[in-house]
């Protein structure tokens, strides 16, 4: 009986670890910093700092991932709030975000978690990073 219980506990632990990468993203994320590279110059703007007259607060971009594979992204910039619903899936260490009402030609965003930050790699040398709330 003790061996059976030990085996059961080990199996449950392995099942929990197998889904660990997928579920790491579940929750609310908020803007932490943005890095832009133009030519040989790289600029990093952190939450609360201003860039070209616009202050980027933590609520400038928020993303919520639900356990059921859905989510929403809210952009609060330039005095306007824009919300976009999406579906997400996890594969090979990356999260793929597709608009909820995707049509042919809609872009899928790929994000990863690096150093406890959710990273949207916008283009070579540029990224938007969010921290978990």
């Amino acid at each position: 009986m003790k061996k059976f219980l030990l085996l059961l506990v080990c199996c449950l632990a392995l099942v929990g670890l197998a889904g660990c990468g997928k579920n790491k993203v579940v929750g609310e994320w908020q803007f932490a910093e943005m890095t832009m590279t133009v030519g040989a110059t790289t600029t990093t703007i952190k939450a609360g700092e201003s860039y070209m007259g616009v202050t980027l607060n933590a609520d400038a971009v928020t993303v919520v991932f639900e356990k059921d594979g859905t989510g929403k992204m809210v952009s609060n910039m330039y005095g306007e709030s824009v919300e976009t619903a999406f579906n997400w899936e996890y594969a090979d260490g990356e999260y793929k975000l597709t608009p909820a009402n995707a049509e042919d030609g809609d872009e899928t965003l790929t994000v990863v978690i690096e150093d406890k930050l959710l990273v949207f790699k916008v283009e070579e040398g540029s990224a938007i990073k969010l921290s978990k709330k």
Side-chain angles (χ1 to χ4, degrees):
M1 182 68 172
K2 287 182 183 180
K3 287 182 182 180
F4 175 74
L5 287 175
L6 181 61
L7 180 62
L8 181 63
V9 168
C10 288
C11 287
L12 289 174
L14 287 174
V15 168
L17 288 174
C20 197
K22 176 182 178 184
N23 291 327
K24 247 189 334 188
V25 77
V26 173
E28 185 173 351
W29 298 77
Q30 61 188 11
F31 178 78
E33 68 181 55
M34 176 171 59
T35 303
M36 299 174 295
T37 300
V38 179
T41 305
T42 299
T43 304
T44 299
I45 302 105
K46 295 186 181 282
E49 295 179 347
S50 294
Y51 179 72
M52 297 182 71
V54 177
T55 300
L56 297 172
N57 295 315
D59 69 344
V61 178
T62 57
V63 180
V64 178
F65 289 84
E66 302 291 346
K67 286 182 183 179
D68 67 358
T70 63
K72 68 178 179 179
M73 184 180 311
V74 181
S75 171
N76 291 304
M77 290 197 241
Y78 307 109
E80 185 178 338
S81 181
V82 177
E83 184 174 314
T84 305
F86 62 86
N87 297 310
W88 66 272
E89 55 186 42
Y90 176 78
D92 301 323
E94 298 179 329
Y95 302 90
K96 306 280 186 192
L97 284 61
T98 306
N101 299 319
E103 297 178 12
D104 287 342
D106 279 348
E107 190 174 326
T108 296
L109 294 173
T110 300
V111 297
V112 296
I113 295 178
E114 295 176 353
D115 299 324
K116 296 184 180 182
L117 294 174
L118 185 70
V119 181
F120 289 80
K121 293 186 178 173
V122 184
E123 56 187 58
E124 191 64 37
S126 298
I128 297 173
K129 298 178 180 181
L130 287 77
S131 60
K132 202 158 195 183
K133 195 170 180 181

